[in-house]
Amino acid sequence: MVKKWKLLINGNDKTENKYRIAEIDMAKGIGILLVILGHMEKITSNVWKQFAASFHMPLFFVLSGLLYSQKEYSMNDFRQFVSKKAKHILVPYILWALIYSNGVSLKNIIYIFYANNKVFAEAGLWFLPTFFVAECIYYLIKWLTSKTKPFLEPCLIILCAILSYLLDTYPINPLFKSYGYPFSIDIALTATVFIATGAWGKSVFLSLKGEPTNQRTNSILLFGGGMICFAVVYLISRINYGFINDHAFERVVMARASYGCYPLFIVGAIIGSVAVCILALLLKKSKLLQYIGKNSLLYMCSNHFVISIIMTVTEFFRPDFGGYTNLERILISFFLLFIITAGCTILSWIINRFVPVLTGKTS
């Protein structure tokens, strides 16, 4: 039985694994666990959700920037880039959206292709079209700045942040306030800021990755830096809570462009992402975290389904979680996290084996 689980997690695609960065996969894995904990609405505390939500979604955009490796920029290459990203991101989005939608109707099809969390909030699928648009925006920025002075790229990234803020604060049309923008273009502009941050920090990350973290001094410095980052993010999340206007969630919700104080959100999200990257560098190479990170799209799309089943069963035995102490709630949260992660892992293996098109893979 143990061997079967090891085979499930390790996989047998040695060619693909050869080109992956284990620490980035582990950081993605940590991010997915934070997402799952955040989606366990009835058991996790508001303070925890405010803390984790301040950086767990931006983390994936930052990690995408760390992996950004485009060398040449042209409109010809851009068409190929868009085609490749559409195949790996938009095709799974449409298929998962059809699975989650309540029947195939014209209204649902319009909502799916409008691709905004305010009109189609199923299973957190907003992330995929937002990611697609952000990747395309960043490519165009790199294309525009690849043969110009280096300061132009940061200027355009700052412009993206300003434009994102203005679109959300002063909607072009009242309808956009209610229904959001098509393909979450406003959120994608903010996501572009995080992708650029990751790309700019790539050399630092790879340098730290190359340092032997088993040396006591390096480990202590990294650990101390990571703890300071987490502490700063916690303080920012508590301060930013006072600026939250979307009281339906009582926390930052990037999917709804609910950031609280926008500059605080940007700073907290970047520092939180740095903290997770440091944690990934410190941890011994966990095969489970690497597997989760490698299949992050599947976990992102399937965790709602698994959570709904597990929480329905849990609530059948204990419908009210309010009677537990804080310690009991923490222990129950981690126990349920283990069960939900196991369920997502089994489901991801089944999908990889029999329905790989849902993963964005071509075969």
Side-chain angles (χ1 to χ4, degrees):
M1 184 69 181
V2 174
K3 287 183 179 179
K4 288 182 179 178
W5 272 98
K6 283 185 178 179
L7 180 61
L8 187 156
I9 292 170
N10 293 341
N12 53 12
D13 192 347
K14 294 181 179 178
T15 305
E16 183 183 358
N17 291 337
K18 180 181 177 182
Y19 297 102
R20 302 191 70 89
I21 300 175
E23 289 80 3
I24 290 181
D25 279 338
M26 287 168 63
K28 286 183 184 178
I30 294 166
I32 289 294
L33 296 182
L34 292 174
V35 168
I36 293 173
L37 279 169
H39 288 162
M40 292 158 54
E41 294 283 350
K42 294 185 179 180
I43 189 67
T44 48
S45 71
N46 285 333
V47 172
W48 163 258
K49 283 181 282 196
Q50 289 157 15
F51 166 71
S54 63
F55 66 89
H56 69 4
M57 294 313 299
L59 168 67
F60 293 98
F61 297 112
V62 171
L63 294 174
S64 170
L66 288 175
L67 292 169
Y68 197 84
S69 59
Q70 190 76 21
K71 296 290 192 297
E72 300 292 330
Y73 300 94
S74 69
M75 287 314 295
N76 229 9
D77 290 333
F78 180 63
R79 283 190 285 270
Q80 293 177 13
F81 180 85
V82 170
S83 175
K84 179 182 175 183
K85 292 297 177 182
K87 188 183 298 180
H88 293 306
I89 300 172
L90 291 186
V91 170
Y93 164 71
I94 293 169
L95 294 175
W96 279 102
L98 289 171
I99 290 170
Y100 277 109
S101 62
N102 186 22
V104 179
S105 65
L106 179 60
K107 180 181 177 181
N108 282 341
I109 296 297
I110 292 171
Y111 282 176
I112 288 169
F113 281 92
Y114 195 77
N116 189 288
N117 185 264
K118 289 185 177 180
V119 297
F120 189 78
E122 300 296 333
L125 296 178
W126 69 274
F127 175 81
L128 295 176
T130 303
F131 183 38
F132 170 77
V133 175
E135 288 263 283
C136 292
I137 292 172
Y138 188 61
Y139 182 101
L140 290 173
I141 289 173
K142 294 295 288 185
W143 172 58
L144 287 169
T145 60
S146 59
K147 295 179 181 177
T148 58
K149 293 182 179 180
F151 70 84
L152 184 57
E153 183 182 333
C155 289
L156 290 177
I157 293 300
I158 292 170
L159 184 61
C160 283
I162 294 170
L163 184 56
S164 177
Y165 173 78
L166 292 175
L167 285 172
D168 292 323
T169 308
Y170 309 102
I172 297 171
N173 186 291
L175 287 174
F176 291 135
K177 188 170 182 64
S178 301
Y179 298 106
Y181 292 91
F183 262 70
S184 303
I185 182 66
D186 54 326
I187 303 170
L189 287 165
T190 294
T192 305
V193 175
F194 296 129
I195 293 175
T197 301
W200 297 337
K202 183 176 181 178
S203 58
V204 177
F205 177 82
L206 293 177
S207 174
L208 288 172
K209 178 181 175 295
E211 292 291 327
T213 54
N214 57 341
Q215 290 184 8
R216 186 177 179 84
T217 304
N218 290 342
S219 296
I220 291 172
L221 288 174
L222 275 177
F223 180 78
M227 290 303 99
I228 290 170
C229 286
F230 277 127
V232 171
V233 173
Y234 175 77
L235 288 174
I236 289 175
S237 72
R238 301 307 296 147
I239 295 169
N240 199 21
Y241 175 70
F243 294 94
I244 300 293
N245 293 320
D246 190 348
H247 294 293
F249 293 92
E250 298 290 341
R251 63 180 182 274
V252 165
V253 182
M254 189 176 179
R256 297 174 62 85
S258 176
Y259 307 120
C261 175
Y262 190 74
L264 272 180
F265 164 70
I266 294 289
V267 172
I270 291 171
I271 295 174
S273 299
V274 169
V276 173
C277 289
I278 290 174
L279 182 59
L281 288 169
L282 284 170
L283 289 172
K284 291 183 178 179
K285 292 184 179 180
S286 162
K287 293 295 183 184
L288 177 59
L289 282 178
Q290 286 180 56
Y291 179 84
I292 295 172
K294 179 182 172 183
N295 293 279
S296 55
L297 185 148
L298 283 179
Y299 282 79
M300 192 78 77
C301 294
S302 66
N303 77 85
H304 275 267
F305 171 71
V306 177
I307 288 172
S308 65
I309 294 173
I310 300 300
M311 294 307 290
T312 300
V313 173
T314 305
E315 289 170 18
F316 178 79
F317 294 100
R318 182 66 184 262
D320 180 21
F321 290 104
Y324 291 111
T325 65
N326 287 336
L327 178 59
E328 287 172 335
R329 287 168 71 94
I330 291 170
L331 293 174
I332 292 170
S333 295
F334 280 101
F335 174 72
L336 291 176
L337 175 64
F338 172 78
I339 299 296
I340 292 165
T341 304
C344 289
T345 302
I346 293 168
L347 190 58
S348 73
W349 181 85
I350 293 170
I351 292 170
N352 271 310
R353 182 75 175 82
F354 300 105
V355 203
V357 68
L358 289 176
T359 71
K361 297 174 183 175
T362 54
S363 60

